[in-house]
Amino acid sequence: MGAFSRAAFLAVGSELLRTSRLDTNSLFVAAKLAACGVEMTEKRCVGDDAQAIAGAVSDLLTRADLVVVSGGLGPTADDVTREGVAAALQRKLHLDQELFALLQERYRRLGRSMPSIAARMAYLVEGAQVLPNPRGTAPGQWLEVGSRALVLLPGVPEELETIFALHVLPRIQ
């Protein structure tokens, strides 16, 4: 992956469109990218809607070398970032067996059996590299789209910050 000069940020979550929740993730990412000489040229927010996510991702990939998406990677029915990104890239989603086993093990260590809905977090967009999440259950994903990169990160700030520091920054620097 070559050097990045222009980045865009997409925050996913209907709660971010209301007045009760502030998007702090874009500020964190913008600061870290600026320190690497990458300019944040645009940031957007969309609700939990696969079609809106697909449209925003498609559009942002035409204007930025690096697109960072935050949120919508959890286990619930409204976590549709994976589906939106797969649609935008015209790629399939597939269950990653290794990731599925790691999720089961994580729940086992917590003394719980993995709820069936949690299996959603083991689905990857075709061609994605897993970005492990040591702070939570939803992993990130790194996708190469031609000469551009698309990064999917959980919306929980501590998880996003940890994955960004461990797995995204080293690829950018």
Side-chain angles (χ1 to χ4, degrees):
M1 204 78 257
F4 301 104
S5 59
R6 298 167 55 84
F9 188 91
L10 177 63
V12 174
S14 296
E15 70 281 2
L16 297 171
L17 295 171
R18 296 189 282 274
T19 58
S20 58
R21 182 73 57 86
L22 207 57
D23 161 41
T24 56
N25 289 337
S26 65
L27 303 176
F28 170 84
V29 170
K32 294 297 182 188
L33 291 176
C36 297
V38 180
E39 179 189 8
M40 178 83 75
T41 58
E42 187 170 348
K43 61 181 179 176
R44 291 191 200 176
C45 182
V46 296
D48 298 305
D49 176 273
Q51 201 170 346
I53 295 164
V57 165
S58 294
D59 188 42
L60 292 171
L61 279 170
T62 67
R63 298 206 295 269
D65 309 313
L66 173 68
V67 176
V68 178
V69 180
S70 141
L73 296 178
T76 61
D78 66 342
D79 289 316
V80 292
T81 294
R82 291 172 290 262
E83 291 80 357
V85 168
L89 302 180
Q90 299 180 329
R91 296 184 186 182
K92 292 184 179 347
L93 281 176
H94 67 91
L95 179 67
D96 185 279
Q97 294 297 336
E98 188 178 334
L99 188 51
F100 184 79
L102 288 171
L103 284 169
Q104 285 183 310
E105 175 60 21
R106 183 169 196 116
Y107 276 95
R108 191 193 61 69
R109 281 197 319 271
L110 295 170
R112 309 192 334 238
S113 60
M114 185 172 93
S116 59
I117 194 169
R120 289 173 51 88
M121 294 183 291
Y123 278 83
L124 298 178
V125 178
E126 185 179 36
Q129 298 168 34
V130 175
L131 304 177
N133 181 354
R135 304 286 295 273
T137 49
Q141 298 186 35
W142 176 280
L143 291 138
E144 294 184 4
V145 184
S147 61
R148 301 170 192 279
L150 176 62
V151 183
L152 313 182
L153 298 171
V156 177
E158 304 77 47
E159 296 179 28
L160 175 139
E161 292 169 14
T162 300
I163 295 172
F164 197 87
L166 292 175
H167 305 294
V168 179
L169 276 178
R171 294 171 189 238
I172 293 170
Q173 292 169 326

